[in-house]
Amino acid sequence: LGRTLLELGGNNGIIVMPDADADLALRAILFGAVGTSGQRCTTTRRLFLHDSVSEDITDRLVTAYGQVKIGNPLNDNTLMGPLVDDSAVNAYKVALKVIEEQGGKILCGGDVLDVSGSFVEPTIVAATSDMPITREETFAPILYIFDFDSIDEAITMHNSVDQGLSSSIF
């Protein structure tokens, strides 16, 4: 009956189908990916968008990411606080370098903020399923977007990681 603290890896995904309620999905994706600065085992790290909705959802997410209030997490207007420390900021920077080396395209974010504390921008990356970095868990607000044309393809990509504590489908 002792206390237990489990460190469980999460490389959690959301699948968005053509008939999804886009507004509901956007709110869930944004909070799931950014709400705790990407530092939660159930943070949304991978987003699978059906080809028919990919451009619209991606554009809307990029706009929403540009409006994320970053700062003191005790402030009611703040959505995203700092990373835990400078080593987490360094891991974020290393991941962004690897993303570019592996052919990922940063759609928004990708910078460390020039303020006191360990603050970074939430980042969206256009990714492909053959990028090894997308199978790793970087505890930072980096969201990988993958396009698909069939639910079987989306599930195969979704299940291609060793970790995953949560998943959703819209």
Side-chain angles (χ1 to χ4, degrees), residues 30-31 33-38 61-83 113 115 118-123 141:
L30 182 66
F31 183 76
V34 175
T36 54
S37 308
L61 270 175
V62 167
T63 298
Y65 267 54
Q67 298 171 3
V68 169
K69 302 280 191 224
I70 302 169
N72 182 339
L74 299 177
N75 182 328
D76 288 341
N77 295 325
T78 298
L79 177 58
M80 192 178 110
L83 295 184
L113 299 181
V115 296
S118 301
F119 292 92
V120 301
E121 291 179 331
T123 303

Side-chain angles (χ1 to χ4, degrees), residues 46 48 129 134-135 154-163:
R46 298 176 304 134
F48 305 94
S129 59
T134 66
R135 291 178 190 74
I155 291 172
T156 297
M157 286 190 293
H158 180 279
N159 291 341
S160 70
V161 297
D162 293 332
Q163 338 79 336

Side-chain angles (χ1 to χ4, degrees), residues 3-123:
R3 293 182 182 171
T4 303
L5 175 64
L6 301 174
E7 172 51 45
L8 303 170
N11 204 342
N12 308 292
I14 293 179
I15 297 172
V16 180
M17 298 297 294
D19 60 347
D21 178 332
D23 292 332
L24 178 64
L26 281 164
R27 287 191 303 273
I29 295 162
L30 182 66
F31 183 76
V34 175
T36 54
S37 308
Q39 301 175 107
R40 181 183 68 230
C41 292
T42 54
T43 291
T44 302
R45 302 194 190 287
R46 298 176 304 134
L47 177 60
F48 305 94
L49 299 175
H50 188 273
D51 291 333
S52 66
V53 298
S54 181
E55 185 176 345
D56 177 56
I57 298 285
T58 299
D59 289 348
R60 291 173 68 182
L61 270 175
V62 167
T63 298
Y65 267 54
Q67 298 171 3
V68 169
K69 302 280 191 224
I70 302 169
N72 182 339
L74 299 177
N75 182 328
D76 288 341
N77 295 325
T78 298
L79 177 58
M80 192 178 110
L83 295 184
V84 67
D85 59 24
D86 289 341
S87 68
V89 173
N90 189 54
Y92 169 83
K93 293 191 303 190
V94 168
L96 294 174
K97 185 175 191 257
V98 171
I99 287 164
E100 290 184 343
E101 290 169 355
Q102 293 180 4
K105 180 180 177 196
I106 296 173
L107 302 178
C108 69
D111 289 319
V112 175
L113 299 181
D114 188 19
V115 296
S116 178
S118 301
F119 292 92
V120 301
E121 291 179 331
T123 303

